[in-house]
Amino acid sequence: MTMEIPFSELLEQLPKQFFASLVAKVGEKIKAGCDVINLGQGNPDQPTPKHIVEAMQRAAANPKYHKYSPFQGYFFLKEAIAAFYAREYGVTIDPAREVAILFGGKAGLVELPLCLVNPGDVVLVPDPGYPDYWSGIALARARMEMMPLVAENGFLPDYEAIPAAVADRAKLMFLNYPNNPTGATATKEFFAETVAFAAKHGIAVVHDFAYGAIGFDGRKPVSFLEVDGAKDVGVEIYTFSKTYNMAGWRVAFAVGNERIIRALELLQDHLYVSLFGAIQEAAAAALLGPQDCVAELVALYEARRNTFIHALRDIGWEVQAPSGSFFAWLPLPKGISSAEFADMLLERAHVAVAPGIGFGEHGEGYVRVGLLTDEARLREAAERIGRLGLFEKNF
Ligand SMILES: Cc1ncc(COP(=O)(O)O)c(C=O)c1O
């Protein structure tokens, strides 16, 4: 007889993966031979630039990297990160004390609540938002308070709407601009407001800058650390996944507040030895090498955005163009839920999108589309949706 091995209470209370059923449905359709245009996920479709792959290939042969890496990562990568922040944002970072190397942004985002909050503490979370924030909060047995992101506020949280009692209990806050899923970007003024709010209530800020490189119409997204006082209250998480199409490589970093960096490194000392040295060398090559690949990538996403948004407007769907990230956030006709709408598009148009409810209650009424396929397929997706006759044509 096999023994029934129970999972820990901690595992049992982890949030359910909302998108798992959608991924399964898409898989079934594809298996049944349907030509599905999958715009539901956030996996960059372009390869890592050649010079970065070549740096990795050379470094992989170096016996130095076949040993354990230093626990907190190679200092040359921390120095490259500091040089990158100075060059890109005019921000001074002390590579010895203000940088932690991460196994991807997701790892850092999940580790941070474990580093900074106790069971029952309050964490402020954007709604809609990236679901991995919820995972770390659940592991830390903390409590989430949602900050609604609504179109009327440009998808920025309204700090004045947060009751003082909640703000005073909050220990940590997650922000993310350019934003997944809304495609909104933040201003320096908003970040300055964030620093003031956080300092007043004693809240540590984590700014997830995963889409930091991807701003449209000639506007470079602002780093949280560009604002005075930001380092006193928080850190920024930067990943190589999107800027350099290195999602599979699992490399990212946290920069900013020395105490928070220290906490991350302390937790990581207990969880792992640092990344394969060759990946760290390639990551440094990405930050210090030619950046034309980044400009080209942003131009590619911007061209896709323009094509897709125009094609949707052509079928009568009134949508706003995102100002950053590689997502479009599309409002739905009244009377249909985002899950029903996504199911219908998959069934009847063979187009997969992510229902907004999967990103939180305030995501209801929207679906998220990833601009991660070529312009012809994006145009075709819009045409297929148009054939369903769901939208009045506005001339
Ligand atoms: C908002 C946001 N943050 C963080 C990440 C994590 O990126 P990674 O773990 O690949 O660094 C993603 C990836 O999709 C994301 O969308």
Side-chain angles (χ1 to χ4, degrees):
M1 208 175 82
T2 49
M3 188 172 78
E4 180 69 29
I5 299 179
F7 285 179
S8 67
E9 283 168 20
L10 189 63
L11 279 197
E12 294 291 0
Q13 51 105 53
L14 287 178
K16 299 285 165 277
Q17 289 280 345
F18 178 88
F19 294 107
S21 70
L22 178 75
V23 171
K25 276 187 225 165
V26 172
E28 276 163 31
K29 278 269 171 263
I30 293 170
K31 218 162 139 198
C34 297
D35 172 27
V36 175
I37 304 178
N38 190 354
L39 310 178
Q41 285 170 326
N43 206 346
D45 62 314
Q46 297 296 300
T48 306
K50 198 162 162 262
H51 68 280
I52 302 173
V53 175
E54 285 170 355
M56 169 70 176
Q57 285 168 331
R58 281 190 303 274
N62 185 345
K64 174 172 116 178
Y65 296 139
H66 302 166
K67 302 181 172 186
Y68 290 117
S69 299
F71 267 45
Q72 298 177 353
Y74 279 98
F75 195 61
F76 66 74
L77 177 53
K78 294 186 170 184
E79 286 179 311
I81 290 163
F84 172 80
Y85 258 72
R87 185 189 74 214
E88 295 293 327
Y89 304 109
V91 170
T92 305
I93 298 288
D94 176 349
R97 290 177 305 145
E98 294 177 338
V99 182
I101 294 168
L102 307 170
F103 279 87
K106 178 183 167 113
L109 293 163
V110 173
E111 286 160 14
L112 278 159
L114 293 169
C115 291
L116 302 176
V117 304
N118 294 312
D121 282 348
V122 169
V123 182
L124 298 173
V125 180
D127 173 5
Y130 180 59
D132 283 350
Y133 308 141
W134 314 339
S135 309
I137 296 167
L139 285 172
R141 300 184 186 228
R143 233 165 31 81
M144 294 201 278
E145 285 284 347
M146 298 307 195
M147 299 186 290
L149 306 186
V150 296
E152 302 83 80
N153 290 336
F155 299 108
L156 300 171
D158 176 2
Y159 295 131
E160 287 183 9
I162 300 175
V166 171
D168 285 336
R169 288 201 59 197
K171 295 276 166 50
L172 180 65
M173 174 192 335
F174 285 99
L175 290 176
N176 163 229
Y177 294 96
N179 185 253
N180 176 9
T182 67
T185 46
T187 57
K188 269 196 190 156
E189 293 70 37
F190 169 72
F191 283 146
E193 232 184 273
T194 303
V195 169
F197 175 75
K200 180 171 171 201
H201 297 284
I203 302 170
V205 177
V206 176
H207 179 236
D208 176 2
F209 205 27
Y211 300 91
I214 311 170
F216 300 136
D217 307 310
R219 286 191 208 102
K220 186 181 167 91
V222 184
S223 159
F224 177 62
L225 300 182
E226 283 179 63
V227 165
D228 284 345
K231 260 198 234 173
D232 296 333
V233 297
V235 291
E236 190 152 82
I237 305 289
Y238 196 101
T239 175
F240 291 73
S241 296
K242 324 288 172 172
T243 310
Y244 301 106
N245 293 317
M246 293 169 71
W249 298 52
R250 310 314 301 140
V251 50
F253 55 88
V255 271
N257 184 276
E258 192 181 329
R259 281 281 297 169
I260 302 179
I261 296 299
R262 174 79 203 107
L264 274 170
E265 293 201 321
L266 182 60
L267 180 68
Q268 294 196 151
D269 280 350
H270 290 268
L271 291 175
Y272 359 82
V273 178
S274 187
L275 291 67
F276 180 31
I279 290 183
Q280 299 191 48
E281 192 166 312
L287 297 176
L288 301 177
Q291 300 296 304
D292 334 14
C293 54
V294 182
E296 284 160 17
L297 186 67
V298 174
L300 178 90
Y301 289 141
E302 185 161 330
R304 290 176 177 179
R305 175 200 70 162
N306 293 345
T307 294
F308 188 59
I309 296 294
H310 286 142
L312 290 182
R313 288 177 183 161
D314 279 347
I315 63 162
W317 195 347
E318 272 312 312
V319 294
Q320 296 297 315
S323 52
S325 82
F326 48 52
F327 297 113
W329 187 236
L330 311 176
L332 302 183
K334 295 264 172 293
I336 185 162
S337 76
S338 59
E340 286 165 344
F341 189 86
D343 278 345
M344 181 177 65
L345 290 197
L346 182 60
E347 272 311 311
R348 293 175 50 201
H350 296 165
V351 173
V353 296
I357 189 70
F359 302 96
E361 215 174 282
H362 286 85
E364 189 49 277
Y366 291 86
V367 290
R368 189 196 73 178
V369 160
L371 302 168
L372 299 170
T373 186
D374 62 43
E375 287 179 59
R377 290 287 276 177
L378 288 168
R379 208 176 293 115
E380 189 185 331
E383 284 163 8
R384 288 190 197 176
I385 297 168
R387 271 182 240 126
L388 303 181
L390 302 168
F391 302 96
E392 293 289 331
K393 200 162 171 102
N394 298 319
F395 289 102

